[in-house]
Amino acid sequence: MINTIEKLGAYNVWANAKLLTHLDGIVATGAELPARALRLFSHLLNAQAIWLARLTGTQSPVKVWQEHDLAGLHKLHQQTSPSLHQYMQDADDAEMTRMISYANSQGNSYDSQVSDILTHVCVHANYHRAQVATTLRESGLEPINTDFITYCRELAGQA
């Protein structure tokens, strides 16, 4: 049986790393990264950290729209993407169906199932990576392909 959430988690690590490498390459050419691209990618990684903290009952190290430079994005990716993926790998059926209570950034209280949260985190990240790609293109910079099917094709090529 395929664990789709775990596969999405692995994809998320790959896509975030691929985007970071691409941004490094842009900077290496002497081009400046658009502030909006950094803001959106910061938000994506902040959200991962916030959701991971909610899932584990810990304090988030970041705020939802806190901005990071490229070095900070690398650090936050390393702190959150693999940990989130590991959480997805380790979660059994009882964990996936567990309900958690939390407050969003506006202070509104909610209850959500862990599997729904984990799915949301991956979908949310993909949405914002697409916004980063659009922002790069609008700034005259070439975006990178971080599509899920591209990840699957690369994975299959490694087998």
Side-chain angles (χ1 to χ4, degrees), residues 8-10 12-14 16-17 20 41-56 58-63 68 72-89 118 121-122 125 129:
L8 286 173
N12 187 60
V13 174
W14 172 88
N16 288 342
L20 280 168
F41 201 17
S42 292
H43 171 68
L44 177 166
L45 294 174
N46 292 340
Q48 287 184 175
I50 290 166
W51 281 112
L52 195 54
R54 288 173 181 162
L55 289 165
T56 59
T58 59
Q59 185 68 35
S60 172
V62 293
K63 301 291 182 204
H68 309 281
L73 291 173
H74 274 280
K75 183 179 177 185
L76 193 54
H77 163 65
Q78 286 304 318
Q79 292 171 339
T80 62
S81 298
S83 297
L84 188 62
H85 180 226
Q86 188 65 54
Y87 187 97
M88 292 172 175
Q89 287 178 305
L118 295 174
V121 170
C122 294
R129 281 190 297 269

Side-chain angles (χ1 to χ4, degrees), residues 6 13 24 26 40 47 56-57 63-64 73-75 79 95 97 100 120 122 142 147:
E6 187 279 326
V13 174
D24 288 339
I26 290 171
L40 290 165
T56 59
K63 301 291 182 204
V64 74
L73 291 173
H74 274 280
K75 183 179 177 185
Q79 292 171 339
E95 179 62 13
T97 58
I100 69 162
H120 166 73
C122 294
E142 192 63 31
D147 287 345

Side-chain angles (χ1 to χ4, degrees), residues 93-114:
D93 288 344
E95 179 62 13
M96 286 294 195
T97 58
R98 180 174 67 99
M99 298 294 289
I100 69 162
S101 299
Y102 60 93
N104 68 5
S105 59
Q106 288 83 39
N108 300 321
S109 295
Y110 296 97
D111 296 311
S112 295
Q113 187 171 294
V114 168

Side-chain angles (χ1 to χ4, degrees), residues 36 127-141 143:
R36 183 170 188 263
Y127 173 79
H128 288 299
R129 281 190 297 269
Q131 287 183 309
V132 170
T134 300
T135 300
L136 291 175
R137 187 171 304 285
E138 289 171 347
S139 299
L141 300 166

Side-chain angles (χ1 to χ4, degrees), residues 33 69 89 135 149:
L33 295 175
D69 61 12
Q89 287 178 305
T135 300
I149 199 65

